[in-house]
Amino acid sequence: MAWDIDNAAHLLRRAGFGGGMAQVQQLYGLGQEGAIAYLLNYESIPDPAAQNVNTLGLDVTKPFDAAAWMLYRLLAGARPLQEKLTWFWHGHFTSSVVDVPAQLMVIQNETWRANANGNFLAFLKAMYKDPAMLDYLDNRLNVASKPNENFSRELMELFTIGIGNYTETDVKEAARALTGWIITAGPPPVGTYVPSRHDNGSKTVLGVTGNLNGDNIMDILFAHPANARRICSKLYQFFVRPDVNAADLAALLATWTATNGNIKAVMNTLLRLDTFWAPDTRNALVKSPMEYTLGLVQRFQLTALNAASLRFGVTSLNNMGQFPFGPPDVAGYPQGLEWAGTSPMLARYNTANSILYGAAGTTIVNQLTQGQDVSTAAKLVDLLAAQMGPVTLTNSTRQALINYVNSGGYTGTATQVQSKTRGATHLLVSAPEYQVQ
């Protein structure tokens, strides 16, 4: 594969939210190996967004502002892959602000971020003690005298080994092992183990018997072969393509086994798969509302983020059906073509329209066209396709955009560039070709 701008942009869309063209150029300059290493080894990159978010005046005890807080972290972070993985884990270790105090969701978000590319067993052990998770799936109510199976069931079904790999008895016994945890107020609120609430009797889970506790349950589930297969498959479907290639999965599983479940190592293998770079993998994934919105904001270089603009972003995402911190159920957000309904798609187009025709519109046009040859409609359309992706347009879409620019007579005057660039960009990001990545 020849390393070029298109490949650098593909990498940043999948291992981030698309970034600005300057970031794409930076990755291109590093070469393929250097770009992958830069994204993977993000711990060494300073992340001022972690501090700057505290100066925005957001009240994270309120759901809407907590969602705006997360949007800022995902959008303004200097570590694209860390933020993309954080978003992935939100869809895996799901909790919802509809059922959980907003402040706990913010704490949980930082738990996802801290463990995003670490060891999966350590991640499991952090998540079952997480206060938002304790609240969302009722494990704070799980006591020896009255075991609550809600968390143990979802832990097996969704978070680790999947349906068909455990029995009802395993769920009940694991619930007994997971007794004893409550949420203490802090600050900050934390999960706290209370020995008097724990069931100290013998339990048997997936063939392992003893006075099992929560950590033991995580050890057992982590070691089950179905766990690695499930997590590696989900990473593949999120970052590569919906249909899992058996040979690719085998490579990811081999890395998982060799590194004892190290997520960074698995991602290192994933980003080097031939399938990841294959032409038919491009555009194999439908952008979620979050990916669409953050991709627009980053490519438009809307860096003057404040509480008002972030709240606008939350409203826009809610209109698209993806309220941050608010997945519809414990299985997480919809995927793929489930986002392609009429109302969610119209909300995308309206958001793009509001941005392009809002206060930042003139600046966006200047950034997209400054110093470029936009003397003809074809040159302007091809420039925008390159600047916004690169986006591979079908002949019919490209011609329709050219016809739009030419309507009324286009000669490339400054006034025309401002007007037609806004309109053509809006049409481009509303086109089917832009809804995939």
Side-chain angles (χ1 to χ4, degrees):
M1 180 196 74
W3 179 245
D4 56 21
I5 287 293
D6 195 3
N7 286 314
H10 169 68
L11 177 61
L12 193 54
R13 281 193 300 271
R14 294 294 182 86
F17 293 100
M21 280 305 296
Q23 289 175 290
V24 174
Q25 292 282 358
Q26 178 192 9
L27 288 187
Y28 171 67
L30 293 174
Q32 183 180 3
E33 288 297 312
I36 293 172
Y38 174 82
L39 292 169
L40 281 169
N41 300 309
Y42 54 70
E43 298 89 344
S44 61
I45 301 172
D47 186 20
Q51 287 73 46
N52 293 347
V53 69
N54 298 319
T55 67
L56 295 175
L58 298 170
D59 181 357
V60 297
T61 66
K62 297 178 179 177
F64 209 86
D65 273 14
W69 176 96
M70 178 170 69
L71 196 59
Y72 182 83
R73 294 302 312 274
L74 293 173
L75 189 58
R79 304 167 175 180
L81 183 56
Q82 184 179 34
E83 298 308 324
K84 193 64 170 283
L85 280 167
T86 298
W87 179 243
F88 168 79
W89 292 118
H90 177 29
H92 181 74
F93 289 119
T94 305
S95 301
S96 173
V97 76
V98 174
D99 304 289
V100 171
Q103 183 184 7
L104 298 190
M105 294 299 299
V106 169
I107 293 170
Q108 187 178 71
N109 184 272
E110 294 290 20
T111 302
W112 299 324
R113 185 171 286 104
N115 291 275
N117 72 342
N119 174 263
F120 188 71
L121 176 57
F123 203 168
L124 279 175
K125 291 181 176 179
M127 285 309 304
Y128 94 87
K129 302 168 187 175
D130 175 82
M133 186 63 74
L134 287 169
D135 192 5
Y136 182 60
L137 291 178
D138 303 321
N139 210 50
R140 62 186 175 82
L141 306 175
N142 189 11
V143 296
S145 59
K146 191 178 181 181
N148 185 302
E149 300 166 13
N150 197 15
F151 175 69
S152 66
R153 185 176 307 281
E154 306 300 354
L155 172 66
M156 294 184 188
E157 177 180 336
L158 296 173
F159 302 159
T160 55
I161 60 179
I163 292 175
N165 295 299
Y166 59 90
T167 67
E168 282 298 305
T169 299
D170 290 323
V171 171
K172 294 178 184 298
E173 292 286 273
R176 293 177 56 213
L178 288 160
T179 52
W181 288 86
I182 64 170
I183 302 168
T184 53
V190 294
T192 302
Y193 178 68
V194 181
S196 63
R197 295 166 61 94
H198 179 67
D199 184 335
N200 286 301
S202 180
K203 309 106 179 166
T204 300
V205 177
L206 295 170
V208 179
T209 301
N211 179 15
L212 305 176
N213 60 24
D215 278 11
N216 299 143
I217 296 301
M218 304 307 142
D219 290 335
I220 293 166
L221 293 173
F222 173 79
H224 195 290
N227 175 58
R229 179 172 294 274
R230 180 172 176 77
I231 302 306
C232 288
S233 294
K234 287 193 70 172
L235 286 166
Y236 188 93
Q237 291 171 316
F238 185 85
F239 286 96
V240 184
R241 55 184 307 122
D243 51 313
V244 181
N245 177 289
D248 290 343
L249 180 57
L252 299 182
L253 290 171
T255 299
W256 179 288
T257 300
T259 63
N260 197 32
N262 182 272
I263 300 161
K264 181 196 283 191
V266 171
M267 289 299 300
N268 184 44
T269 298
L270 183 151
L271 294 176
R272 287 178 166 80
L273 293 171
D274 289 343
T275 307
F276 179 86
W277 299 99
D280 64 354
T281 294
R282 313 297 170 95
N283 303 329
L285 301 176
V286 177
K287 292 176 182 174
S288 67
M290 183 66 81
E291 290 165 330
Y292 177 87
T293 303
L294 267 59
L296 279 185
V297 172
Q298 291 183 340
R299 194 50 59 95
F300 288 159
Q301 301 181 55
L302 301 178
T303 56
L305 300 172
N306 53 47
S309 63
L310 292 165
R311 289 172 182 143
F312 168 77
V314 173
T315 298
S316 299
L317 285 163
N318 190 45
N319 291 340
M320 297 178 206
Q322 192 167 39
F323 186 80
F325 282 148
D329 54 47
V330 70
Y333 293 104
Q335 300 294 326
L337 290 174
E338 294 181 71
W339 292 119
T342 303
S343 293
M345 297 305 291
L346 181 60
R348 294 187 185 208
Y349 311 153
N350 288 340
T351 294
N353 183 79
S354 295
I355 294 172
L356 284 162
Y357 288 93
T362 300
T363 300
I364 292 170
V365 171
N366 292 340
Q367 289 168 342
L368 291 173
T369 63
Q370 197 164 35
Q372 304 294 326
D373 183 357
V374 292
S375 58
T376 68
K379 289 179 179 179
L380 175 59
V381 168
D382 291 342
L383 171 67
L384 296 179
Q387 293 281 54
M388 293 307 299
V391 182
T392 302
L393 299 174
T394 63
N395 290 336
S396 60
T397 298
R398 179 175 179 271
Q399 190 59 53
L401 290 172
I402 290 172
N403 292 344
Y404 162 77
V405 175
N406 274 329
S407 63
Y410 180 80
T411 58
T413 67
T415 299
Q416 290 175 329
V417 169
Q418 274 291 331
S419 173
K420 293 297 186 176
T421 298
R422 294 191 199 205
T425 303
H426 182 232
L427 291 172
L428 189 153
V429 301
S430 302
E433 294 94 321
Y434 193 78
Q435 311 313 312
V436 293
Q437 62 180 351

